[in-house]
Amino acid sequence: MGKVTGFMEFERIEEGYKPVPERLKHYKEFVIGLDDRQAKVQGARCMDCGTPFCNSGCPVNNIIPDFNDLVYRGDWKDAITVLHSTNNFPEFTGRICPAPCEAACTINVNGDAVGIKSIEHAIIDKAWAEGWVAPQPAKIKTGKKVAVVGSGPAGLAAAQQLARVGHDVTVFEKNSRIGGLLRYGIPDFKMEKSHIDRRVAQMEAEGVVFKTSTLIGTMPEGSKVTNDAKTVISADELKAQFDAVLLTGGSEQSRDLPVPGRDLDGIHFAMEFLPQQNKVNAGDKLKGQIMATGKHVIVIGGGDTGSDCVGTSNRHGAASVTQFEVMPQPPEEENKPLVWPYWPLKLRTSSSHEEGCMREFAISTKAFTGKGGKVTGLTTVQVEFKDGKLVEVAGTEKDYKADLVLLAMGFVNPVATVLEAFGVEKDGRGNAKAHTEFDNGYATNVPKVFAAGDMRRGQSLVVWAIREGRQAARSVDEFLMGYSDLPR
């Protein structure tokens, strides 16, 4: 370990934020990362536990005590080598992962966890600045061809792993730019898209071919999923052209709210609203962009997507922003002895909330109201748990003014047409049915077709997507070659 008494001597150091009035004027990142000295202090706090729960708390099993120690000792180049050994894209996770590793940190039992995420962020940013992130093309080609459908974190991680062991990999993306929900679902102020672009350049140098504006399967009728597809390739064509196909699309079917007035103008899914702003930031010209400027905005859904809608609405210059959550308000502090090392239920306030937002908990929307076909408000009621069910509290109905309503209640499953085009069997939730055991893991019922990421496990975290992409890559490699040297 770094400093034997470091966890007793040093306090946790949080990353900083630029002032709210300054950051609301733009869509660029505003987090102030740790400098070398601060990162060293955080690394010194790591206890190098005999059983480091942070490793298992991290879905990609980052070797956290090792890179913490290397940063403490100033060996940044070895630190990025250790970090890259388990995580293809730490610049993504270091920015947008909620850090379950920190919840599992042993110091977190009765103190403040090591700032693992901030150290990871510092390592990868330094690695890029120093030129340590370089293409790693395969020395020997296998002659095998793999199609990866979907260019989110699962698809990118799988593609990079497969290319590095010598396969010819082509990534197909229905949108005009690579990145999936990283590109179109995560606001630029949380993660600028230059981070994706330079990874794409690295992967192209490793031999990966990217084909954008290309839809695999059939175009969904009436789909509101953002895409710029100009080319459609059938599932049969793809299977004929490639030795293996890996489906890594996102869970893009948004959860709806079928209450009276849902058909009024001004009520949109979050994934209609957020991608538009990202496209405009990238220089695209859009007609009829959904704007929150001067409007009273209601965001229904209390998770990260809802928070992203809050931050974007504030940058538009909304008159007010209110966020609804149907569940009761969680405690401000978790009962650590009860929940550690698992992810705790507690009140989380995001940087977007701090920029201006009213938050309502234990509230359910009963109906939308409107005038001239446009939404003007909604009616709510308070809810509470009774006999294990959420029930309405009598006499608590309330009307809210709303010029724009954004539905951010999560995603139920991938767009069904992709799986149906391949004939992939679905599980009870509408996801691709594929187990994750090592023997033939991630394989679907269709020969040589695999599935990973949100398309297989459902809506989840970026770090889970990277894990699934890496593990699926090993299974595909094993299927093609009879063995695999890729990590599990």
Side-chain angles (χ1 to χ4, degrees):
M1 63 190 296
K3 190 167 186 181
V4 175
T5 55
F7 68 97
M8 296 186 290
E9 293 181 37
F10 305 121
E11 299 295 324
R12 177 182 168 96
I13 303 173
E14 299 283 356
E15 292 182 315
Y17 294 149
K18 292 180 180 177
V20 170
E22 177 185 333
R23 69 195 198 221
L24 284 180
K25 295 177 182 177
H26 59 75
Y27 291 88
K28 297 184 181 298
E29 293 177 13
F30 53 82
V31 171
I32 303 170
L34 305 185
D35 60 29
D36 287 7
R37 183 194 62 81
Q38 292 171 325
K40 177 176 180 174
V41 168
Q42 278 303 290
R45 296 185 68 234
C46 181
M47 298 170 64
D48 193 13
C49 314
T51 304
F53 289 93
C54 58
N55 285 11
S56 55
C58 171
V60 293
N61 303 124
N62 277 336
I63 311 169
I64 293 164
D66 289 33
F67 68 64
N68 283 345
D69 179 60
L70 289 165
V71 168
Y72 169 70
R73 299 179 186 281
D75 191 348
W76 291 83
K77 197 167 184 179
D78 277 352
I80 188 57
T81 300
V82 170
L83 184 51
H84 268 153
S85 71
T86 56
N87 185 353
N88 295 68
F89 313 119
E91 63 270 47
F92 303 164
T93 53
R95 285 170 166 81
I96 61 174
C97 179
C101 56
E102 293 188 11
C105 176
T106 300
I107 302 176
N108 195 46
V109 172
N110 62 355
D112 294 324
V114 173
I116 300 166
K117 178 179 174 180
S118 61
I119 294 174
E120 181 177 348
H121 186 178
I123 293 170
I124 185 58
D125 280 9
K126 191 176 188 70
W128 278 111
E130 296 292 337
W132 297 334
V133 184
Q136 300 176 36
K139 295 179 180 178
I140 300 174
K141 303 293 284 185
T142 65
K144 301 291 186 179
K145 296 169 64 178
V146 182
V148 176
V149 180
S151 69
L156 292 178
Q160 186 166 63
Q161 294 293 95
L162 289 165
R164 286 179 174 178
V165 292
H167 302 308
D168 294 319
V169 182
T170 303
V171 176
F172 295 90
E173 169 58 50
K174 66 180 181 293
N175 291 296
S176 60
R177 294 182 178 87
I178 295 298
L181 291 178
L182 283 175
R183 174 77 65 176
Y184 294 107
I186 303 296
D188 289 4
F189 56 80
K190 287 178 69 174
M191 193 187 84
E192 293 175 20
K193 305 312 178 244
S194 58
H195 303 298
I196 303 173
D197 296 337
R198 61 187 178 185
R199 280 296 181 182
V200 169
Q202 180 199 31
M203 291 172 66
E204 287 177 329
E206 294 172 344
V208 178
V209 174
F210 292 95
K211 292 192 176 182
T212 56
S213 301
T214 304
L215 185 75
I216 305 301
T218 57
M219 190 76 75
E221 267 188 50
S223 172
K224 292 186 177 181
V225 174
T226 299
N227 73 73
D228 310 300
K230 297 176 181 176
T231 302
V232 178
I233 300 176
S234 73
D236 288 340
E237 282 182 85
L238 205 69
K239 287 189 290 183
Q241 294 172 18
F242 291 87
D243 299 299
V245 176
L246 176 58
L247 306 178
T248 61
S251 183
E252 296 179 314
Q253 194 66 52
S254 300
R255 181 174 282 107
D256 209 342
L257 185 59
V259 298
R262 172 63 180 89
D263 58 344
L264 291 167
D265 288 342
I267 304 171
H268 302 276
F269 289 121
M271 283 306 296
E272 296 175 73
F273 177 67
L274 296 173
Q276 288 189 353
Q277 187 58 57
N278 285 6
K279 288 191 169 193
V280 169
N281 293 347
D284 291 357
K285 303 295 183 183
L286 298 183
K287 291 182 180 179
Q289 182 186 358
I290 303 166
M291 295 295 294
T293 311
K295 296 178 180 177
H296 296 283
V297 180
I298 301 288
V299 178
I300 301 179
D304 288 341
T305 304
S307 171
D308 294 342
C309 289
V310 170
T312 302
S313 296
N314 281 326
R315 282 161 179 75
H316 282 184
S320 68
V321 183
T322 305
Q323 185 178 22
F324 291 171
E325 169 56 61
V326 72
M327 300 300 289
Q329 180 172 329
E332 292 191 10
E333 293 293 335
E334 72 271 32
N335 185 338
K336 290 182 178 181
L338 179 66
V339 300
W340 179 88
Y342 301 108
W343 184 249
L345 177 66
K346 69 176 182 178
L347 182 64
R348 301 177 193 279
T349 301
S350 73
S351 58
S352 291
H353 294 141
E354 293 169 351
E355 293 165 359
C357 174
M358 291 291 294
R359 302 172 73 182
E360 299 286 352
F361 293 89
I363 190 169
S364 178
T365 301
K366 294 195 70 174
F368 298 107
T369 55
K371 187 176 182 181
K374 294 185 177 181
V375 69
T376 57
L378 48 79
T379 300
T380 67
V381 65
Q382 293 295 128
V383 292
E384 64 180 1
F385 273 106
K386 187 171 288 186
D387 297 326
K389 296 181 180 179
L390 277 175
V391 297
E392 296 182 1
V393 179
T396 61
E397 289 193 0
K398 183 177 179 180
D399 294 326
Y400 285 82
K401 180 176 177 59
D403 307 304
L404 175 63
V405 178
L406 301 172
L407 305 180
M409 301 176 294
F411 305 90
V412 291
N413 48 250
V415 177
T417 51
V418 180
L419 300 179
E420 290 167 359
F422 282 92
V424 170
E425 186 179 349
K426 291 180 279 189
D427 64 16
R429 297 178 299 159
N431 302 317
K433 188 174 182 179
H435 69 79
T436 58
E437 301 302 320
F438 296 139
D439 183 19
N440 209 29
Y442 296 91
T444 70
N445 61 299
V446 180
K448 77 177 185 181
V449 176
F450 297 75
D454 287 6
M455 183 163 277
R456 190 205 67 82
R457 67 177 285 115
Q459 175 191 353
S460 193
L461 305 177
V462 61
V463 70
W464 270 108
I466 293 171
R467 172 197 172 112
E468 294 231 336
R470 287 172 62 89
Q471 289 190 334
R474 177 187 169 88
S475 287
V476 171
D477 185 37
E478 202 166 33
F479 165 75
L480 294 172
M481 307 301 293
Y483 69 96
S484 180
D485 292 328
L486 286 171
R488 294 187 187 276

